[in-house]
């Protein structure tokens, strides 16, 4: 049977999105996530050693972020999307089979490298395939749903990690995590890719130079690059402190995970609703950020259970804004350097996130978690004001 022209793109979009959502779910359906700190402690590592492992993980990602993005513009992006989970699986296997500081360190290097390989390549492949199918306008909707699938996977992993750990300990949790990574790699091989690297872009250094030259030459690209970390970094870092924020409301520790699920549900809803935000202009995005910032400030300042609901609302707004900021970037950059510049934005996010960790350490120690969260609403208000001013200037 011959597909009609209208049906052929629709079939292609369905194939892309169904495969993408499965990949996004499996990438985050890792049972080790909620318990790997326990594995480190049970192996006898000190707090200093655990912190050094986290630092090694972060440094690996920062160092490889841009080279891997440039590489994704020079070679097959789909290839990197299945190699990444294989590296992560190898790291988790080392943790499970040879639990020791050296194995944990090498595992974090492999995990950081795997994450860097997929960063940039992931977004670029999806946008290019949607553009080929004449559906680039659906990018925010598709990526919002993909991020929501990842969040659902995290929540599912949180729920299953306990029973699996009780049944088989760290070995069972580790083996399940390795299996999931292998499944993610298998799913990645099914992602469609019709792009071929442009002539003259046969090395990652060449693509890196071309991508950075594009950013220097086009102010709209520079603005979109800066917007991604401005929107993504703060709330992404604050997420690590939400258990402490929830505990400060006075609820028993046994209820903390359930309230965290409320916050995750808010972020998931934000991802699912990101598609409706594609119609928002610059002023609309500014209003979304301002509203989420106010919800965050009021909710965390209240220190009550009702305030947690406002935090969930704020995280939903920030999740939607993060997807929309990524979509604005993809719309402004050239196909040949898409993964490179997406990785540049990712590097900016990583560095800004580290800055938030440092700032939170000072604020949280001096004033408490609720006050620290409220203060970190200020950068979003500043970003919203700058966007609103830019929107007025564009109309003028």
């Amino acid at each position: 049977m011959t597909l009609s022209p209208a049906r052929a793109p629709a079939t292609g979009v369905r194939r892309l999105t169904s495969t993408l959502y499965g990949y996004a779910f499996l990438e985050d359906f890792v049972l080790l996530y909620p318990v790997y700190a326990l594995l480190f402690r049970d192996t006898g590592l000190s707090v200093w050693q655990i912190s050094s492992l986290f630092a090694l993980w972060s440094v690996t990602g920062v160092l490889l972020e841009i080279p891997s993005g440039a590489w994704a513009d020079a070679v097959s992006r789909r290839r990197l999307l299945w190699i990444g989970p294989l590296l992560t699986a190898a790291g988790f296997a080392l943790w499970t089979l040879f639990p020791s500081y050296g194995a944990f360190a090498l595992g974090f290097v492999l995990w950081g490298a795997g994450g860097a390989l997929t960063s940039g390549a992931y977004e670029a492949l999806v946008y290019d395939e949607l553009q080929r199918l004449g559906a680039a306008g659906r990018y925010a909707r598709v990526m919002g749903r993909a991020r929501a699938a990842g969040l659902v996977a995290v929540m599912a992993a949180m729920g299953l990690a306990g029973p699996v750990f009780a049944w088989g300990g760290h070995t069972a949790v580790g083996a399940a995590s390795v299996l999931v990574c292998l499944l993610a790699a298998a799913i990645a091989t099914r992602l469609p890719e019709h792009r071929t690297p442009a002539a003259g872009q046969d090395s990652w250094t060449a693509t890196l130079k071309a991508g950075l030259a594009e950013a220097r030459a086009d102010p709209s690209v520079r603005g979109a690059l800066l917007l991604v970390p401005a929107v993504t970094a703060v709330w992404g870092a604050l997420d690590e402190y939400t258990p402490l924020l929830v505990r400060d409301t006075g609820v028993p520790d046994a209820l903390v995970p359930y309230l965290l699920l409320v916050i995750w549900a808010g972020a998931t809803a934000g991802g699912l609703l990101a598609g409706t935000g594609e119609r928002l202009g610059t002023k609309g995005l500014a209003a979304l950020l301002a509203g989420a910032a106010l919800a965050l400030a009021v909710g965390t300042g209240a220190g009550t259970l009702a305030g947690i609901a406002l935090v969930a609302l704020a995280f939903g707004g920030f999740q939607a804004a993060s997807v929309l900021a990524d979509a604005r970037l993809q719309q402004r950059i050239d196909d040949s350097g898409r993964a490179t510049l997406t990785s540049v934005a990712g590097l900016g996010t990583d560095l800004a996130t580290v800055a938030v960790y440092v700032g939170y350490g000072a604020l949280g120690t001096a004033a408490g978690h609720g006050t620290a969260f409220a203060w970190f609403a200020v950068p979003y208000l500043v970003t919203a004001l700058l966007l609103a001013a830019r929107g007025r200037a564009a109309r003028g």
Side-chain angles (χ1 to χ4, degrees):
M1 180 178 68
T2 302
L3 294 176
S4 68
R7 188 177 174 189
T11 302
V13 170
R14 282 197 298 272
R15 179 194 168 192
L16 170 65
T17 54
S18 60
T19 309
L20 177 70
Y21 299 154
Y23 180 77
F25 182 89
L26 289 172
E27 266 217 312
D28 283 322
F29 187 54
V30 177
L31 271 62
L32 269 171
Y33 284 172
V35 299
Y36 63 71
L38 299 180
L39 171 61
F40 300 158
R41 288 292 290 178
D42 291 347
T43 305
L45 269 61
S46 67
V47 174
W48 181 90
Q49 287 176 311
I50 294 173
S51 298
S52 69
L53 290 174
F54 291 151
L56 179 62
W57 186 23
S58 299
V59 169
T60 301
V62 167
L63 291 178
L64 296 180
E65 181 74 40
I66 293 180
S68 65
W71 192 25
D73 283 329
V75 301
S76 166
R77 292 164 180 164
R78 178 173 58 196
R79 184 188 308 165
L80 300 187
L81 291 178
W82 62 258
I83 291 175
L86 289 182
L87 292 178
T88 303
F92 291 160
L94 282 174
W95 291 6
T96 306
L97 297 173
F98 310 104
S100 62
Y101 181 83
F104 296 147
L106 181 54
F108 266 125
V109 170
L110 290 169
W111 189 3
L117 286 181
T118 59
S119 176
Y122 180 80
E123 295 87 351
L125 182 144
V126 174
Y127 190 89
D128 281 351
E129 287 300 310
L130 288 174
Q131 189 175 54
R132 184 185 67 84
L133 295 166
R138 298 180 59 181
Y139 176 79
R141 183 185 314 165
V142 169
M143 292 303 290
R145 290 175 178 175
R147 294 192 186 191
L151 291 173
V152 170
V154 170
M155 290 187 285
M158 286 180 177
L160 284 175
V164 173
F165 183 79
W167 171 70
H170 293 301
T171 301
V173 171
S177 300
V178 171
L179 176 61
V180 165
C181 291
L182 295 177
L183 289 174
I187 290 289
T189 65
R190 305 299 301 165
L191 285 167
E193 184 180 29
H194 294 82
R195 161 196 169 272
T196 27
Q201 301 291 321
D202 55 351
S203 72
W204 74 265
T205 53
T207 53
L208 176 58
K209 291 177 182 177
L212 295 178
E214 180 184 356
R216 287 194 299 269
D218 191 338
S220 68
V221 173
R222 288 201 303 273
L225 279 173
L226 292 172
L227 182 62
V228 171
V231 171
T232 307
V234 174
W235 81 275
L238 291 180
D239 172 64
E240 302 293 337
Y241 301 98
T242 50
L244 303 175
L245 177 73
V246 170
R247 176 185 280 176
D248 276 3
T249 63
V251 299
D253 283 355
L255 293 181
V256 170
Y258 298 103
L259 292 174
L260 291 178
L261 286 177
V262 172
I263 296 176
W264 280 100
T268 303
L272 292 173
L273 294 173
T276 63
E278 287 181 298
R279 296 185 293 271
L280 293 176
T282 301
K283 283 186 64 178
L285 182 57
L288 175 63
L289 282 174
L294 291 174
L296 180 68
V298 174
T300 55
T304 63
L305 293 181
I308 297 302
L310 285 176
V311 174
L313 180 64
F315 273 39
F318 294 142
Q319 176 71 285
S322 297
V323 175
L324 295 174
D326 174 46
R328 289 164 71 96
L329 175 63
Q330 301 302 329
Q331 291 161 6
R332 285 162 172 77
I333 55 183
D334 182 71
D335 293 348
S336 62
R338 188 175 304 284
T340 301
L341 291 180
T342 302
S343 289
V344 170
L347 176 62
T349 300
D350 291 341
L351 295 175
T353 299
V354 172
V356 174
Y357 287 149
V358 173
Y360 191 97
L363 280 172
T365 301
H369 298 291
T371 302
F373 267 73
W375 271 109
F376 276 108
V378 174
Y380 284 112
L381 291 174
V382 173
T383 301
L385 289 173
L386 292 174
L387 283 173
R390 183 174 180 180
R392 287 194 297 270
R395 288 198 315 274

